[in-house]
Amino acid sequence: MKKKIVAGNWKMNLSLLEALALVSEINFMVNDEVMHDVTVIIAPPFPYLQSIRQLTKDNPRIHTAAQNCYSETKGAFTGEVSAEMLKSLGTEYVIIGHSERRNYFKEDNHLLAKKVKIVLNVELIPIYCCGETLQERNANKHFEIIKIQLEEGLFYLSEKEFSNIVIAYEPVWAIGTGVTASPQQAQEMHQYIRSLIKGKYGNEIADNLSILYGGSCNSKNAKELFDNPDVDGGLIGGASLKSRDFTDIIKAI
Ligand code: PGA
């Protein structure tokens, strides 16, 4: 069965003290207020991963994710962080291919394919992001772009490997802009993504895959997005930095 997931991507925000305060509030609220079965993931900056894992490890609903990792296993790569290191901290998920990584750090599908493999090799779960720019959507190329991002980034995986990934559809024009994809636009693209996966890996794997929506998702619009049959949760940026907003989004699932 596909998991319902709400993941908070904190990006490069918060001091350590602010991060600890926020996660303590979320930890408390997720215990007390969220009655249904949802997987909550928190993706803080690297330096906070261990403390956040420590604070939440007794809460079975909360898991941690890294926002990135390097594409090699180890060695002389000053400043980089390996998947194995993340695993040793108790991290369970790694966001791969966020549009900010694709855009500012020029990460292309081929590099991301390597990262996905590295993450799977140490038995962590990649959350693979895909999404088109506004220019691409206006040129009616959005389906084509997503197809290429999936084919080049993921379609070399075996069936077994593919059963252990999560996909996030994040239209670049909606990220951090306050403009959200309409529920129809989100459903249309999620359904398309699932149909591509069906074609490549079959019905069972496609039906069990969680596909998250990301891009200005907040406590007001989450419900109508999550109500779509192919939207299995959200990857939340700005609204994950406030405990009340974030837990309201979790409750909307
Ligand atoms: P946003 O970011 O919710 O602030 O638009 C989403 C994301 O980048 O994952």
Side-chain angles (χ1 to χ4, degrees), residues 9 11 98-100 170 174-178 214-217 235-239:
N9 174 11
K11 308 192 180 183
H98 190 281
S99 69
E100 286 148 19
E170 299 209 305
I175 297 178
T177 56
S216 297
C217 182
L235 179 53
I236 319 297

Side-chain angles (χ1 to χ4, degrees), residues 139-167:
N140 211 20
K141 288 197 165 147
H142 42 304
F143 293 114
E144 191 188 321
I145 292 294
I146 300 301
K147 185 162 185 262
I148 293 170
Q149 290 176 347
L150 295 181
E151 283 176 349
E152 294 184 350
L154 297 177
F155 278 12
Y156 65 97
L157 295 174
S158 68
E159 288 184 9
K160 185 165 176 281
E161 288 170 326
F162 203 90
S163 318
N164 288 313
I165 68 164
V166 172
I167 290 179

Side-chain angles (χ1 to χ4, degrees), residues 178 180-181 183 213 215-226 249 252:
T180 317
Y213 169 79
S216 297
C217 182
N218 59 41
S219 54
K220 294 197 176 63
N221 59 30
K223 184 154 175 31
E224 52 177 17
L225 287 161
F226 297 166
I249 294 172

Side-chain angles (χ1 to χ4, degrees), residues 121-147:
N121 281 350
V122 296
E123 293 177 351
L124 298 182
I125 300 175
I127 302 174
Y128 181 79
C129 302
C130 57
E132 80 285 357
T133 62
L134 186 58
Q135 210 182 16
E136 289 161 347
R137 180 165 277 263
N138 287 342
N140 211 20
K141 288 197 165 147
H142 42 304
F143 293 114
E144 191 188 321
I145 292 294
I146 300 301
K147 185 162 185 262

Side-chain angles (χ1 to χ4, degrees), residues 137 142-143 183-193:
R137 180 165 277 263
H142 42 304
F143 293 114
Q184 294 74 17
Q185 285 171 321
Q187 169 57 23
E188 179 185 50
M189 186 57 87
H190 283 227
Q191 193 174 26
Y192 175 68
I193 292 171

